[in-house]
Amino acid sequence: MKVGGFIKTSKNLYPQVCEFANLVRAWRKARRGKRYLPAVAAFEQNLDVELTTLHAELVNEAWQPGGYRSFTVHEPKRRKISAAPFRDRVVHHALCNVIVPIYERKFIADSYANRVGKGTHAALDRCTYFMRRFKYVLPCDVQQFFPAIDHQVLKSILARTIACEPTLRLCEKIIDGGAGILDGEYTMRYFPNDDLFAVNRPRGLPIGNLTSQFWANVYLNELDQFVRHTLHGKAYVRYVDDFLLFADDKVTLHQWRREIIRFMQRLRLTLHEQRAQPHPTVQGISFLGFRVFSDHRLLKPSKGLRYRRHLKMLWRHYKTGEISREQGRASVMAWLGHIRHGDTWRLRRKTFKELSAA
């Protein structure tokens, strides 16, 4: 059955979500890298009972999301992170195990966030590829993206593809469970035809949920399809809510900018319009922590300074026994693995020279 240009999927997804073997797979994914946490260890200690209970709750549609635990991080910018209870995270993985493959077939190749085989470095490589082939670039990003995601718009987008009512109801429970979490992070904006009650629309996806990361891609897949099939923009890269468009003339990019701003109103989203200005690719572009040029990349100075401070803190914690050698080494290797995608040899030498003198 075709609805809104999309083919609706099987109506029998929910038994796959509830299947006990799927819950076991979901538990294994949810615990990855977190087995030392008390909540994860407690769940595992009573695993059979926990999974059997979750299975029964899901089959009977009796499962309800628990409360979130929120905290604030300040790097790279201030963000409110909200962690769901561990048993809820198992449910999130169980749902995503079933519905992510359906949407993966719909996503464009140049959407790079939170997808297997994609990621930051692939997005940077694609950016470099386009920098070498086009004269101008239009950088765009969405204001307060996760706090601004409108629940009713998201539910409508999901319903265009998922025909299984129990699966949709589970999606809605998870979406509704995040209502209000990010209200304090959102500045109210009115869109065409809004009335005074628009302020009461539920919005916001908790940053930290697996489902939030996935639904962010579902939400902005609407933009991806618009750029590809309406604007016919072939040189386009998106990572979460940061995206770039390339062309050989500014006129085209200015026109695309106007049309994207109008289109985003359908999603109840707004661009940082002052930042969204076409400029020559020879000037370079800031993207995903790097300054990207056609023939090289530089790590943004703020990123290098931030990690040098972090490295010194790790060294202090290692010397006082607060972290193990393996934990410190893993953090350093992860950083080196990231910055090696830029021209950072001098930065690495300076950083470790400072550390050895500490």
Side-chain angles (χ1 to χ4, degrees), residues 257-282:
R257 177 184 182 273
R258 289 190 292 269
E259 295 191 40
I260 286 171
I261 289 171
R262 284 195 294 269
F263 177 81
M264 296 290 265
Q265 292 177 354
R266 303 184 203 174
L267 301 176
R268 304 187 65 80
L269 298 175
T270 51
L271 293 185
H272 280 107
E273 295 187 21
Q274 292 298 323
R275 301 178 192 171
Q277 302 295 336
H279 65 263
T281 52
V282 293

Side-chain angles (χ1 to χ4, degrees), residues 145-203:
F145 175 53
F146 279 93
I149 292 175
D150 187 277
H151 286 193
Q152 190 53 53
V153 174
L154 175 58
K155 290 174 184 178
S156 298
I157 292 171
L158 291 170
R160 291 213 308 266
T161 297
I162 299 173
C164 177
E165 293 298 329
T167 301
L168 277 177
R169 287 194 290 269
L170 178 59
C171 292
E172 290 170 359
K173 281 183 183 179
I174 297 171
I175 294 168
D176 293 344
I181 294 289
L182 293 178
D183 280 358
E185 312 298 308
Y186 180 71
T187 302
M188 182 60 198
R189 296 172 178 84
Y190 288 90
F191 295 90
N193 302 316
D194 274 354
D195 56 27
L196 293 177
F197 297 102
V199 71
N200 297 322
R201 294 177 68 99
R203 58 176 65 83

Side-chain angles (χ1 to χ4, degrees), residues 318-332:
Y318 168 65
K319 289 196 294 186
T320 58
E322 295 176 64
I323 64 171
S324 68
R325 181 185 181 90
E326 290 72 24
Q327 288 172 312
R329 185 177 186 277
S331 179
V332 171

Side-chain angles (χ1 to χ4, degrees), residues 23-34:
L23 291 178
V24 173
R25 288 193 297 272
W27 157 68
R28 287 176 176 155
K29 288 183 177 180
R31 71 171 182 166
R32 196 171 294 158
K34 300 180 177 68

Side-chain angles (χ1 to χ4, degrees), residues 303-319:
K303 299 287 184 180
L305 178 61
R306 187 175 297 125
Y307 192 79
R308 283 157 62 191
R309 290 172 179 166
H310 177 67
L311 191 61
K312 290 177 182 177
M313 181 189 69
L314 281 178
W315 181 244
R316 290 195 300 270
H317 287 174
Y318 168 65
K319 289 196 294 186

